[in-house]
Amino acid sequence: MAVLRLLSRTSLSSSAFSLRREYMAFTDSIGQTNYLVVGKNSYLGSGIWKYSTAAAIEEPIKPSVCVDYTQLLINGKFVDAASGKTFPTVDPRTGEVITYVSEGDAEDINRAVSAARKAFDEGPWPKMTAYERSRILFRFADLIEKHNDEIAALETWDNGKPYEQSAKIEVPMLARLFRYYGGWADKIHGLTVPADGPYHVQTLHEPIGVAGQIIPWNFPLLMYAWKVGPALACGNTVVLKTSEQTPLSALYVSNLFLEAGLPPGALNVVSGFGPTAGSTIASHMDVDKVAFTGSTATGKIILELAAKSNLKKVTLELGGKSPFIVCEDADVDKAVELAHFALFFNQGQCCCAGSRTFVHERVYDEFVEKAKARAMQRRVGDPFKAGTEQGPQIDYSQFEKILKYINHGLDAGATLESGGERLGSKGYYIKPTVFSNVTDNMLIAKDEIFGPVQSILKFKTLESFCRSDASVPSSRSITTKYSRWTARTLESFCRSDASASPSRSITTKYPQWIASRFQLRPTPIRREAARHWGITERARCWRQKQRA
């Protein structure tokens, strides 16, 4: 996200990982004991390849897809940037350039906004029936499914996430989301309001106008769906800025939108950088609403620019440092697997990752040992290789930032249980890292690392945790078998900081009891992907004729 570029690049010397030499043993799924040496001159034993996966150092698999769309989409046509500039998009498996993409700046955003404004004021998109709009969204979803493999290959090539994740989860979800929003297009209704006297009062839901949208690099296609889908379904026109790290999949699927029959100007896509293209969207006087997903620091800038311009509506979906709580009565094996997925999914590059694992002191040691063993068994390598669980980090800047935080954890006195260093010599691969004996005051417990680094903290009671947890997480999770003492503290867990934490999950034997007792509420400014994203409410009132 944009805030990552604000961090200075620090060259890491060999002293950054000057640990004493330590042997760590673990038993794999077939009962074989493996040994890992951790230290300044550590090496991998013969049995450790199940952990490190040699795929990371093999020759990368060549994707079977061509890059056809690298220009800006403005007013229904792919065009070069006004400046003629381009920027490279890089394969995170190797650090090599995939292709060069047109670099949009303020002038290109102005062109895109003008096209979107004309399409909204004079074009057919907001004027056509909601049913006609839904048919175009459904046709687009059909085309997504038809080109599933090509889209997934572009997503993995540009982003580094496992191909199986792209092809079997995220691209099908992209189609499903657009069908969902297409289904809502003709089901957004107003209200009639009782009034004193012979008056008829009703509220109408109308499209807002031109929607400016800025998406991140960690889930390019899903963020595309969450932003573009509801805005178009409601009859708005869109100016979308892709992340400079991952522009390829958004440009490809936007061409499918044209094939589905979307009118020119209804969707405009500009690839560029935050300080030029992104800031112009947020401050543009002809943009009626802006939606942003990214870092909290950049979200504050977006709010400021929106307020200083035309006080446009803003939707933000920001990061956090989310806790994953394991109670003393939890099934430890299940909790380890859940916590592992919550943190390491998508290379740890997830805004709602359970990046602070709080474990009750009675099961702490057992949890740490099993979490370490699970991390060592994780398959890291070329994301195009079948069975790979973890690919490379998105780029060199993020790769370096994660290693810097690992260094902070070591300096602060946390215990490195596994990983903690680069995997291989090519690309941006990092070994799945687990820290134990982490305390609240450490940077690895406070800052959003956005990488495969699990920090395991210890707690004594849930009440004490709720009092001490002063962060603003994106989500919260709790794992328990539901005992009486746990039940008494669930309410404080659910109510604490309710406005800041829109997503919470509770794993328990009694989900119905939880659902009936606690209503978990999202905060309006972070209600992303909701059907009311792109509408505004207007009241109409007129005098009724007296009946005879």
Side-chain angles (χ1 to χ4, degrees), residues 173-419:
M173 183 61 71
L174 175 68
R176 182 175 179 179
L177 284 167
F178 273 96
R179 287 200 176 95
Y180 174 82
Y181 296 125
W184 269 114
D186 58 357
K187 300 174 183 65
I188 300 173
H189 311 298
L191 299 170
T192 56
V193 183
D196 297 337
Y199 299 99
H200 178 83
V201 180
Q202 70 181 53
T203 61
L204 300 176
H205 286 163
E206 299 176 332
I208 292 174
V210 176
Q213 305 175 339
I214 305 170
I215 61 176
W217 47 257
N218 56 337
F219 293 97
L221 288 173
L222 295 183
M223 296 299 172
Y224 181 99
W226 288 0
K227 296 288 191 294
V228 174
L232 290 181
C234 296
N236 299 280
T237 56
V238 173
V239 176
L240 174 78
K241 189 198 88 66
T242 64
S243 169
E244 61 270 25
Q245 288 93 341
T246 54
L248 299 182
S249 58
L251 292 171
Y252 185 96
V253 299
S254 295
N255 180 66
L256 298 181
F257 244 134
L258 300 180
E259 187 178 335
L262 191 70
L267 172 63
N268 305 271
V269 181
V270 177
S271 302
F273 295 85
T276 51
S279 62
T280 304
I281 289 177
S283 60
H284 205 289
M285 293 298 292
D286 221 10
V287 171
D288 301 299
K289 177 173 181 177
V290 63
F292 168 78
T293 295
S295 71
T296 303
T298 305
K300 293 177 180 179
I301 297 173
I302 297 292
L303 276 176
E304 182 181 1
L305 293 174
K308 286 183 176 180
S309 52
N310 56 346
L311 207 63
K312 59 177 65 66
K313 296 177 182 291
V314 177
T315 301
L316 300 177
E317 197 258 324
L318 308 178
K321 191 71 173 175
S322 304
F324 186 101
I325 308 168
V326 181
C327 297
E328 64 175 306
D329 62 344
D331 181 327
V332 174
D333 290 331
K334 183 177 181 180
V336 165
E337 192 60 37
L338 289 171
H340 181 87
F341 179 82
L343 186 280
F344 291 103
F345 174 69
N346 205 52
Q347 293 69 250
Q349 299 168 156
C350 189
C351 63
C352 57
S355 52
R356 293 182 300 149
T357 307
F358 287 88
V359 182
H360 194 276
E361 60 182 9
R362 293 184 182 176
V363 295
Y364 185 84
D365 292 340
E366 178 187 2
F367 183 94
V368 168
E369 286 301 312
K370 292 182 176 180
K372 176 175 68 175
R374 178 63 182 91
M376 287 178 167
Q377 293 167 3
R378 187 169 182 81
R379 300 187 64 182
V380 185
D382 190 329
F384 283 100
K385 186 172 182 178
T388 296
E389 294 180 276
Q390 180 178 315
Q393 307 309 129
I394 184 67
D395 61 11
Y396 178 77
S397 177
Q398 180 66 10
F399 169 81
E400 193 178 45
K401 171 178 176 277
I402 295 167
L403 292 178
K404 182 179 177 182
Y405 272 112
I406 291 172
N407 189 32
H408 280 306
L410 296 171
D411 291 342
T415 302
L416 181 64
E417 300 288 349
S418 68

Side-chain angles (χ1 to χ4, degrees), residues 412-438:
T415 302
L416 181 64
E417 300 288 349
S418 68
E421 60 186 341
R422 179 179 195 163
L423 177 60
S425 59
K426 194 174 186 179
Y428 310 127
Y429 296 92
I430 293 178
K431 295 178 182 179
T433 299
V434 176
F435 277 108
S436 64
N437 298 316
V438 180

Side-chain angles (χ1 to χ4, degrees), residues 437-466:
N437 298 316
V438 180
T439 57
D440 286 324
N441 62 328
M442 296 180 182
L443 282 180
I444 59 172
K446 295 190 297 183
D447 291 2
E448 185 180 30
I449 301 174
F450 228 61
V453 181
Q454 184 178 31
S455 300
I456 307 179
L457 298 88
K458 186 184 296 185
F459 75 94
K460 196 168 187 176
T461 65
L462 271 176
E463 290 91 345
S464 64
F465 165 78
C466 291

Side-chain angles (χ1 to χ4, degrees), residues 97-147:
V97 175
I98 299 173
T99 189
Y100 288 86
V101 178
S102 294
E103 181 183 335
D105 55 22
E107 184 176 350
D108 299 294
I109 293 296
N110 289 334
R111 289 196 293 161
V113 172
S114 295
R117 174 55 61 191
K118 184 176 181 179
F120 184 79
D121 292 341
E122 305 173 16
W125 185 249
K127 299 178 178 63
M128 69 174 58
T129 66
Y131 174 68
E132 290 173 320
R133 287 200 302 271
S134 70
R135 291 186 65 189
I136 291 176
L137 295 180
F138 290 149
R139 283 199 295 270
F140 174 69
D142 291 340
L143 290 169
I144 291 293
E145 290 183 337
K146 179 180 178 181
H147 297 275

